[in-house]
Amino acid sequence: MTARRGAPARAGGDPSAQDRPLLTVEGLTKRYGARIGCADVGFMLWPGEVMGIVGESGSGKSTLLGCLAGHIAPDAGRVIFDTRDRGPRDVLAMPEPERRMLARTDWAFVHQNPRDGLRMGVSAGANVGERLMAVGARHYGQIRGAARDWMARVEIDVGRIDDRPSAFSGGMQQRLQIARNLVTGPRLVFMDEPTGGLDVSVQARLLDLLRGLVRGMGLSAVVVTHDLAVVRLLSDRLMVMQGGRVVEQGLTDQVLDDPQHGYTQLLVSSVLQV
Amino acid sequence: MSEPKGPAERGKIVTEPEPISYNFAYLDEETKRMIRRALLKALAIPGYQVPFASREMPMPYGWGTGGVQVTAACLVPEDVLKVIDQGADDTTNAVSIRAFFARTAGVRTTTRTAEATIIQTRHRVPETPLREGQILVFQVPIPEPLRFLEPRETETRRMHALQDYGLMHVKLYEDIARHGEIATSYAYPVKVEGRYVMDPSPIPKFDNPKLSMCPAIQLFGAGREARIYALPPWTRVESLDFEDHPFTPSKADQACALCGAADSYLDEVITDDAGGRMFVCSDTDHCAGRRGEAS
Ligand SMILES: Nc1ncnc2c1ncn2[C@@H]1O[C@H](COP(=O)(O)OP(=O)(O)OP(=O)(O)O)[C@@H](O)[C@H]1O
Ligand SMILES: [Mg+2]
Ligand SMILES: [Zn+2]
C-alpha cells in the first residue's frame, strides 16, 4: 500500500518521523456491557495522510474516534502516537496531564455539533485564542492577531471577532470550531461528521475549506462520516465498519470503485446511504 | 449580640462569668480539630481548596461563617483579635463578630492592626504591613475562581489538578476585548507559587500585591461552600495578566480627605443630603493612626 507522504517536514521535528507512522492503532476494543462499541480495530496513519471511516449508524465510528482521542477509555488495545519530543508513545498509558496537553497542542477534535466544540458564552476571538492561552500565550495583541488570522483563513468576517458564536450561522460556527482547533498547529485532527447537520450548499463550501487546510498544512486526520462524498474528497484511505469491526480498508478510490466486502458493495451502491 | 465591651466590662466578665453553655470560641474541640486539620493541609498546599465539614454558626452565611470558623479554630486565650469589614472596625458585621468572640472566647479585642495577633477581614487587607506571627483570616463567599467560567465542580477540580488554566485568561481576554482593559477590580484571580489559581476573596485588586511575600499567615474560609485555603508566610502570589496588559493595582486617583494619604485604598463617601462626596481611607485604623487619633 502506498501512503501519501507529501507533508512538509516540520522544523525542530525528528527528521526520521516522516518515515514512520504518526499513529499506530492495535486491537482497539470497547464494549458497553454486552454490546460491542468497536472491536479489534487496527490501522496505521502516516504523516500527512487522511483516513476516512464510514459505516452505518451504530457501526462504532464515534466509539472508535472517542477511544483514539482519549475521550473514551477502551477495554483493550494500544494507540501509539509519534510525539514531537519523545517519539512514539502509547497514548492510553500516558498520565492524564500529558494526554491533555497533547489534546490541546498536537491534536484537534472537531465535533459534529459545533456547540459541543465551542464556548458559546465567549466571543469568537476568545474561542480561537483559548488553546493558545491554554499553552501559555500571554500577549493579548498576538493572541488577537492569531484569532484574526484564523478567522480569515476559515472565511469568517474578521469584523465579527468580538461577537459570540451564538450569533453565527451553523456553517460559520463549524468554521469557527475548525479555526479554534487548528490555531495551535496540531499534527493530527479527529473529525466526527464535520459536515453533518449542515445544508448541502454549506457542506460543499466547508468541505472545500477543510480540504484546502488539510492539504495546505499537511495535516493528518481521521474523519468519520456517513457521506461517501466527504471521503472521496478528503481521505487518502478508507476503513469500512460494520457492527464495531473493520470489514474492509484500503485506498479510498480502490475501496469505493472496487469494493470487496459485501457490506461495502451495498454501501457503495448507495442502498445503505442515509 | 451586644456591643464590644470596654476594658472595664471585660474585667467584669472574668470575675462574674455569665453562665456559659458553649466551649472556648463557641465551637467544640472536635470541630476545631477537624478545621485545624483542614488548615494544616491548606498551608501545606498553598492555594489549594480543602473541603471541610462547615458548621452552622449562630449568624447568617453572608456574615462570614467560614471566616468565623477559621478564627475560632485558631484562637488561643492570649490572642488579641481585630475584625474589619471593608476596612472598617465599626460596621455592624465587624462589631458583631468581635463581640461574639469577646463573649465566647473572652479574648482581648483591638482596632489596631499592629496590636492584633488575629485579624478577621471581609474584603480588605489592612494598609499597615503585617508581620510574622500574625494571622489574617479572610471571609470568602465563592472560593472557586473558575466557577463563572465552568460551573461543573467535577470539571473545575480536574482543571486545578491538571493546571488547565487557559480559561482564566479567556476571561481576561474578554475583558480587554470588551472594555479595552482588564475590568475585573475585585476578587482579581491570582496564581500561587506558580501552581494553583486562587480567588483572593472580594478584596480590591489594589490589595493583591499585599498577599505576596507576606510575613503573616493568610487563611481563607468559605462557610456556605465549605472550603478552606491558605497562604503560608512568604508565599509568592501573582495576579494574572497579559504582557501587553499588565496587572495594575489601581485605586481612586485622589488623596484621603481626612489624613491626606495618597497611597491607601479610598472609599467614596457621601457627606450630605446635597450629594457632597469625598474620598477617605477605607482602612479606618490606618486613617486614624495617621491623624494621630489612635489611642
Ligand atoms: N454510551 C454508550 N452506552 C452504551 N452503548 C453505547 C454507547 N455509545 C455507543 N453505544 C453503542 O455502541 C455501538 C456503536 O455506537 P457509535 O455511537 O460508536 O456508532 P456510530 O457509528 O458513531 O453511529 P452514528 O453514525 O449513528 O453516529 C452502538 O451499538 C451504540 O448503541
Ligand atoms: Mg457517531
Ligand atoms: Zn485617611
Side-chain angles (χ1 to χ4, degrees):
Chain A
M1 187 177 298
T2 50
R4 199 177 62 83
R5 299 192 198 170
R10 278 168 193 276
D14 177 350
S16 66
Q18 291 296 306
D19 301 326
R20 59 180 188 236
L22 184 67
L23 193 71
T24 306
V25 180
E26 294 168 1
L28 207 59
T29 300
K30 169 70 190 175
R31 289 194 183 78
Y32 299 104
R35 188 181 299 146
I36 287 175
C38 64
D40 201 24
V41 177
F43 67 93
M44 282 180 187
L45 186 73
W46 295 80
E49 194 182 30
V50 177
M51 170 72 85
I53 302 176
V54 295
E56 65 192 341
S57 184
S59 59
K61 306 182 297 293
S62 295
T63 301
L64 171 58
L65 205 64
C67 289
L68 294 177
H71 301 169
I72 301 173
D75 300 312
R78 300 208 300 164
V79 176
I80 294 155
F81 178 71
D82 191 4
T83 62
R84 266 183 226 242
D85 322 331
R86 304 172 65 185
R89 308 267 323 272
D90 186 350
V91 176
L92 303 175
M94 268 183 194
E96 177 78 9
E98 209 177 323
R99 192 163 52 226
R100 275 219 168 184
M101 183 50 91
L102 199 60
R104 55 186 194 233
T105 53
D106 258 2
W107 289 7
F109 197 104
V110 177
H111 296 263
Q112 170 172 357
N113 186 344
R115 288 178 170 273
D116 296 333
L118 290 173
R119 248 176 235 294
M120 302 305 281
V122 302
S123 68
N127 265 283
V128 180
E130 180 174 350
R131 272 169 73 110
L132 293 173
M133 293 183 251
V135 296
R138 291 292 177 264
H139 192 284
Y140 174 82
Q142 284 166 11
I143 293 162
R144 205 162 165 80
R148 269 205 203 90
D149 178 41
W150 268 99
M151 287 180 70
R153 288 178 78 169
V154 299
E155 300 164 12
I156 298 174
D157 175 8
V158 171
R160 313 230 19 204
I161 189 167
D162 294 328
D163 293 352
R164 294 193 174 177
S166 46
F168 288 5
S169 71
M172 283 168 76
Q173 288 179 0
Q174 195 57 302
R175 280 179 277 137
L176 185 66
Q177 191 194 179
I178 290 163
R180 164 180 162 86
N181 269 282
L182 298 189
V183 67
T184 49
R187 292 189 296 152
L188 176 58
V189 185
F190 301 103
M191 297 187 232
D192 196 349
E193 306 274 8
T195 61
L198 298 174
D199 293 344
V200 178
S201 62
V202 178
Q203 278 188 14
R205 182 177 173 199
L206 184 69
L207 212 51
D208 270 350
L209 180 79
L210 268 179
R211 186 182 153 91
L213 289 171
V214 165
R215 298 295 184 235
M217 296 173 75
L219 290 174
S220 308
V222 180
V223 183
V224 160
T225 180
H226 279 94
D227 188 346
L228 294 185
V230 171
V231 292
R232 273 230 196 255
L233 212 59
L234 275 186
S235 68
D236 305 297
R237 278 194 300 141
L238 188 58
M239 286 194 335
V240 181
M241 292 186 73
Q242 184 190 24
R245 293 174 190 279
V246 177
V247 294
E248 183 163 358
Q249 64 171 308
L251 292 174
T252 302
D253 292 344
Q254 271 173 20
V255 174
L256 293 182
D257 297 340
D258 184 20
Q260 301 299 305
H261 193 276
Y263 176 74
T264 315
Q265 290 166 358
L266 279 174
L267 198 70
V268 170
S269 69
S270 88
V271 175
L272 291 182
Q273 280 198 49
V274 191
Chain B
M1 218 166 270
S2 64
E3 285 297 296
K5 296 171 172 64
E9 268 182 285
R10 213 186 280 123
K12 207 166 108 197
I13 286 180
V14 175
T15 50
E16 291 174 50
E18 299 166 28
I20 295 174
S21 55
Y22 37 71
N23 197 27
F24 175 78
Y26 185 78
L27 293 175
D28 61 83
E29 290 306 308
E30 199 182 326
T31 300
K32 283 193 272 185
R33 266 199 301 276
M34 175 272 293
I35 294 171
R36 285 175 198 142
R37 274 196 298 272
L39 286 169
L40 287 173
K41 183 166 178 185
L43 284 162
I45 318 170
Y48 173 77
Q49 297 167 49
V50 181
F52 79 110
S54 184
R55 292 294 146 91
E56 291 287 328
M57 297 300 286
M59 58 192 74
Y61 272 123
W63 283 52
T65 55
V68 168
Q69 290 177 80
V70 169
T71 299
C74 292
L75 272 178
V76 293
E78 298 75 36
D79 270 319
V80 180
L81 177 69
K82 171 181 165 79
V83 182
I84 46 173
D85 178 4
Q86 313 245 20
D89 298 84
D90 57 0
T91 60
T92 316
N93 190 318
V95 167
S96 303
I97 293 172
R98 197 164 53 229
F100 174 76
F101 283 117
R103 196 169 67 211
T104 60
V107 292
R108 277 215 301 133
T109 62
T110 182
T111 59
R112 303 190 53 180
T113 300
E115 274 178 14
T117 54
I118 297 189
I119 303 169
Q120 180 170 330
T121 177
R122 175 172 173 270
H123 302 187
R124 273 312 308 278
V125 177
E127 304 289 358
T128 307
L130 301 176
R131 54 179 160 74
E132 262 179 55
Q134 288 182 309
I135 299 177
L136 185 59
V137 178
F138 294 81
Q139 300 173 198
V140 180
I142 297 167
E144 179 48 74
L146 299 161
R147 172 74 49 84
F148 294 110
L149 303 156
E150 174 56 72
R152 289 168 298 176
E153 163 96 22
T154 47
E155 192 53 26
T156 54
R157 235 187 272 171
R158 198 143 93 147
M159 290 159 82
H160 283 296
L162 300 176
Q163 274 188 275
D164 192 353
Y165 289 136
L167 259 189
M168 290 309 305
H169 275 86
V170 168
K171 180 171 183 292
L172 300 180
Y173 170 99
E174 286 289 87
D175 259 12
I176 302 172
R178 220 172 299 149
H179 309 287
E181 59 178 2
I182 299 175
T184 307
S185 53
Y186 289 88
Y188 191 108
V190 295
K191 196 164 205 183
V192 178
E193 282 293 337
R195 177 59 182 86
Y196 284 98
V197 167
M198 187 189 96
D199 186 323
S201 88
I203 56 173
K205 66 176 178 175
F206 175 82
D207 283 342
N208 273 24
K210 297 178 192 162
L211 303 184
S212 192
M213 301 311 279
C214 174
I217 293 176
Q218 300 176 84
L219 306 174
F220 299 77
R224 189 181 38 216
E225 304 260 344
R227 291 289 185 281
I228 282 170
Y229 49 101
L231 299 170
W234 310 111
T235 299
R236 187 161 49 87
V237 178
E238 291 154 306
S239 302
L240 302 182
D241 63 1
F242 288 103
E243 288 158 20
D244 49 342
H245 286 267
F247 171 79
T248 48
S250 60
K251 62 180 257 304
D253 191 16
Q254 305 265 343
C256 172
L258 300 178
C259 76
D263 58 354
S264 75
Y265 190 74
L266 303 176
D267 285 336
E268 191 178 13
V269 295
I270 296 172
T271 51
D272 55 40
D273 292 346
R277 289 157 191 276
M278 63 177 188
F279 285 93
V280 297
C281 291
S282 132
D283 184 335
T284 51
D285 167 62
H286 179 72
C287 196
R290 283 179 50 86
R291 290 181 345 245
E293 291 173 16
S295 52

